[in-house]
Amino acid sequence: MDEYGGRRTKAQQDAATVETGYALVSAGFAAAVLFGALAGPSLLFELPRSLETASLWTGLVVAPVVFVARVVSVLVRFRRAAQPSQPGRTSPDS
């Protein structure tokens, strides 16, 4: 996309689509792994009621926060990344 607006090329649209998909999939994976690590023991083993409740709530609160943080960080990094000036070419310093 031009610096001050304008139409994006098909390659730029495709890159944005791929990056958005990557952000969502990697965020979902990270949130699922974290939820499993935090709430998994209470789902697999019989724990004291208070510990079970605390671990489930911790997983339910932390997983969405990690999901949103991951999506935002990937998309912000993509937006700030220097795009090649010509399609199919890399930047001179790469």
Side-chain angles (χ1 to χ4, degrees):
M1 190 161 116
D2 293 74
E3 188 149 341
Y4 296 105
R7 292 199 171 273
R8 290 190 277 177
T9 65
K10 181 67 174 156
Q12 290 169 327
Q13 291 174 352
D14 290 347
T17 301
V18 167
E19 199 66 21
T20 303
Y22 169 72
L24 293 172
V25 169
S26 68
F29 180 76
V33 167
L34 189 63
F35 178 79
L38 294 173
S42 66
L43 298 172
L44 293 175
F45 305 113
E46 192 160 329
L47 301 173
R49 185 76 177 156
S50 60
L51 183 60
E52 184 175 313
T53 303
S55 104
L56 279 173
W57 276 105
T58 303
L60 287 171
V61 169
V62 173
V65 171
V66 167
F67 181 87
V68 170
R70 176 68 180 161
V71 168
V72 168
S73 70
V74 169
L75 294 180
V76 166
R77 185 181 51 201
F78 172 70
R79 184 169 171 88
R80 289 186 183 166
Q83 299 296 318
S85 59
Q86 297 176 344
R89 304 230 177 150
T90 58
S91 298
D93 59 347
S94 63

